[in-house]
Amino acid sequence: MFDLDLKCFISAGSSKKSMPEVWWRGSGREVRIYTYTGNAVDTYTGPAYAPASIYILQLKSNEQDTQVSAYLHEGPGPSGAFPELPSDPRVHTLGVGMTSVTLNWAPSSSVVVKDGHRPHHEYCVLVNHKHNYRSLCAAHEGIRKEIQSVQKRQRRDKQSKEIVWATLKDWWWRQPDAFENRGLSTTDKFENPGCVCRDIESVCTVSDLLPDTQYYFDVFVVDRVNGTSAAYTGTFARTHEEARPAITSLREGQVKWVTLSGDASNLQGDQFRFKPRGWQQNALLTLHTCNGTSKVKVTVSSKGRTLTSQEVGHQLAQIWLHGAPSYLIRLQALASGSLLTMPKGDSSKSKFCLKMQASSAYHRRAVPVFPTTLQIKSFNKLRTCNSVTLAWMGTEERSLYCVYRRQIPLDSKHTSTDRCIDPESRPANERVLCKYFQELNPRRAVTTAVVGELEPGMLYVFDVYLMRRWGLPIKYHSKT
């Protein structure tokens, strides 16, 4: 901010002495012709003040040290020293993206290509984080002070040199070495103004910006021969936020079927949010993959802090959640222990099915106990023409076990049942029986069932489900 006063000295009476002698003698008075206070470019135009013998230009800085350039032109008409601005000197925003902004403005009549030669006028576009500048020299001064501030921080902490300069580059311009030396001539400043765009076209796309950040853009018409410039009315814009993956709410006890894509387009995976009921903030997360060779990486976090991360294979997995009001669950398809990078076009090989459930009904501070094995055993000595005796391992917890049967052709090659299929999804006539069982000694936790009313000489597939009210049912391996 500075004050400008333009005064003239009027001599008292006629004198044949030279004007400086009259002025120094003090035989006259000062008259203020024009005054201005501000930090922008200002122009005064007026006729010669007839009684004046000498003009005085006074400049005073109000806030801090600054630099001021003054130009004087005598005679009628424009001086031609400064580029001309159009009738609409505003900078407009054509488009805003996540890392780029496209600008345009009305052309200046000074930027004219003659006889195929490049004109000595061109546009200079500057971008910064703080505010718009009303003159190019003000922008230079702001950049210089920012460099000095960074250099002081660098001297205090030499180890952070690369980080600081990378931040400065993002904040100001693409050529950080353009203004390291303050003692640049006027011509040098206009040769290296640190423009993100330097061209004769009145459109510019500023790239390499940060997402969700506000930037200020200024456009200047620069006369590289005379070392002058004229400033358009700058603008500002905020870049768009980064695309965030959708988060699906997981309801209490809801069995969610999830299809994961293993190609490179979905490396972030699918995300779900679950909020447990009650003040205990505990829940049991159960997951079951349905593909034979697929694996899924499960990451559970809360408030940006990772609570657990593990791989889930063909076995049913249970994860105990506790101590947080809300949980973010991220699922990523895996193959051979690493993230999949299959071609996008091969959709049949990059799709994976997963069954998931989160429940707050289970209140023990540990995951439920699995049976020691999920194999089903049949006894040849107890087999008859129309009955089969089956046995399987249970747990020390009282649980409900349901037996299902399915008749298949004798020449069938596909005898197994989809391990992700729910008992509710099977026909009612396939269910044989349901029974409760509990044994406190895990080694003796064996229960049996006799399945009768079978047709002689036929092929059957038997399935056993461990039914739980607080989680997904556990399916034993099918027995043929």
Side-chain angles (χ1 to χ4, degrees):
M1 184 75 68
F2 66 93
D3 290 334
L4 179 149
D5 285 318
L6 181 61
K7 302 177 182 179
C8 67
F9 185 85
I10 303 174
S11 62
S14 61
S15 176
K16 293 183 180 180
K17 294 185 178 181
S18 63
M19 290 299 179
E21 292 179 1
V22 174
W23 182 69
W24 282 112
R25 191 178 58 192
S27 60
R29 59 189 178 90
E30 290 184 354
V31 176
R32 177 172 293 177
I33 300 175
Y34 178 75
T35 182
Y36 168 78
T37 300
N39 57 0
V41 178
D42 187 69
T43 303
Y44 168 74
T45 303
Y49 202 74
S53 58
I54 193 169
Y55 293 90
I56 304 169
L57 179 66
Q58 291 182 338
L59 298 172
K60 177 184 178 182
S61 176
N62 293 336
E63 298 176 351
Q64 55 187 350
D65 294 345
T66 187
Q67 293 181 354
V68 179
S69 298
Y71 296 86
L72 173 65
H73 168 68
E74 292 183 289
S79 65
F82 290 87
E84 296 183 6
L85 291 176
S87 57
D88 179 13
R90 294 174 298 173
V91 180
H92 303 278
T93 303
L94 281 183
V96 179
M98 191 171 64
T99 59
S100 64
V101 174
T102 301
L103 311 167
N104 78 323
W105 53 91
S108 167
S109 59
S110 300
V111 184
V112 179
V113 179
K114 295 181 180 179
D115 301 328
H117 297 288
R118 184 179 180 88
H120 61 268
H121 291 84
E122 63 184 2
Y123 300 107
C124 173
V125 181
L126 296 180
V127 56
N128 73 93
H129 274 289
K130 295 184 176 181
H131 53 75
N132 289 112
Y133 290 102
R134 299 183 180 181
S135 65
L136 190 57
C137 64
H140 288 168
E141 187 70 10
I143 294 173
R144 184 187 64 80
K145 291 181 179 179
E146 185 68 20
I147 292 176
Q148 289 181 343
S149 176
V150 170
Q151 289 176 339
K152 289 180 180 179
R153 291 197 298 267
Q154 285 181 327
R155 285 193 289 268
R156 289 195 300 264
D157 187 4
K158 294 182 179 179
Q159 295 180 351
S160 64
K161 181 178 181 179
E162 294 182 0
I163 301 176
V164 171
W165 275 106
T167 304
L168 180 61
K169 179 180 179 181
D170 289 336
W171 270 33
W172 288 94
W173 69 101
R174 291 181 179 176
Q175 302 174 1
D177 298 330
F179 298 100
E180 285 188 355
N181 300 320
R182 183 174 180 177
L184 296 176
S185 65
T186 303
T187 305
D188 291 337
K189 287 184 178 181
F190 287 99
E191 289 296 330
N192 298 290
C195 309
V196 294
C197 289
R198 182 190 290 115
D199 204 348
I200 60 174
E201 300 294 332
S202 58
V203 64
C204 169
T205 298
V206 184
S207 306
D208 300 329
L209 302 178
L210 299 176
D212 193 22
T213 306
Q214 183 160 299
Y215 290 92
Y216 294 85
F217 303 93
D218 293 295
V219 177
F220 305 94
V221 188
V222 179
D223 185 340
R224 293 183 288 107
V225 173
N226 296 320
T228 57
S229 65
Y232 281 74
T233 303
T235 187
F236 63 90
R238 191 173 193 87
T239 52
H240 294 167
E241 294 183 3
E242 292 185 271
R244 298 180 180 179
I247 300 178
T248 305
S249 296
L250 196 61
R251 299 193 304 270
E252 169 68 34
Q254 174 192 10
V255 178
K256 184 73 175 179
W257 288 80
V258 183
T259 301
L260 298 176
S261 175
D263 56 29
S265 63
N266 192 34
L267 292 180
Q268 299 241 348
D270 293 2
Q271 299 195 60
F272 303 86
R273 188 174 299 280
F274 178 71
K275 186 176 182 180
R277 293 179 180 175
W279 61 272
Q280 292 182 328
Q281 300 179 348
N282 298 332
L284 179 67
L285 176 64
T286 307
L287 307 106
H288 196 187
T289 58
C290 302
N291 298 77
T293 58
S294 66
K295 288 186 178 181
V296 173
K297 181 179 180 182
V298 183
T299 303
V300 181
S301 60
S302 179
K303 297 181 179 179
R305 182 172 61 94
T306 300
L307 303 179
T308 182
S309 181
Q310 64 185 67
E311 294 183 7
V312 177
H314 65 279
Q315 295 287 350
L316 185 141
Q318 300 176 119
I319 301 176
W320 178 245
L321 309 177
H322 61 92
S326 177
Y327 300 92
L328 182 65
I329 305 165
R330 187 173 72 167
L331 307 177
Q332 294 173 280
L334 299 174
S336 303
S338 61
L339 284 174
L340 288 170
T341 56
M342 293 185 176
K344 295 183 180 180
D346 195 0
S347 59
S348 61
K349 294 184 179 180
S350 60
K351 297 293 184 182
F352 298 90
C353 182
L354 176 76
K355 211 167 49 168
M356 176 175 59
Q357 183 198 47
S359 174
S360 306
Y362 189 76
H363 295 298
R364 285 181 53 185
R365 292 192 60 83
V367 296
V369 179
F370 276 167
T372 55
T373 178
L374 294 179
Q375 298 291 338
I376 302 175
K377 183 176 178 58
S378 65
F379 301 93
N380 293 332
K381 294 182 179 181
L382 300 178
R383 187 179 306 173
T384 68
C385 294
N386 56 11
S387 68
V388 170
T389 301
L390 305 174
W392 61 90
M393 297 294 295
T395 68
E396 60 267 30
E397 298 174 346
R398 188 172 185 270
S399 303
L400 178 66
Y401 299 85
C402 293
V403 181
Y404 285 76
R405 70 178 180 189
R406 180 169 57 94
Q407 183 178 325
I408 59 175
L410 292 175
D411 58 349
S412 176
K413 297 181 180 180
H414 303 284
T415 59
S416 63
T417 305
D418 184 359
R419 67 170 180 261
C420 274
I421 188 172
D422 290 322
E424 295 81 3
S425 303
R426 305 188 63 164
N429 58 359
E430 291 187 2
R431 187 173 64 184
V432 178
L433 60 90
C434 290
K435 59 180 291 187
Y436 283 95
F437 175 75
Q438 180 183 18
E439 173 57 56
L440 298 180
N441 187 349
R443 295 184 178 181
R444 299 177 56 185
V446 180
T447 183
T448 61
V450 179
V451 182
E453 300 181 359
L454 305 178
E455 296 183 19
M458 300 303 296
L459 194 63
Y460 289 89
V461 176
F462 297 94
D463 293 300
V464 176
Y465 291 90
L466 170 56
M467 311 294 289
R468 305 180 299 170
R469 65 179 181 85
W470 28 258
L472 295 175
I474 298 177
K475 179 183 176 297
Y476 288 71
H477 300 302
S478 299
K479 180 66 176 178
T480 304

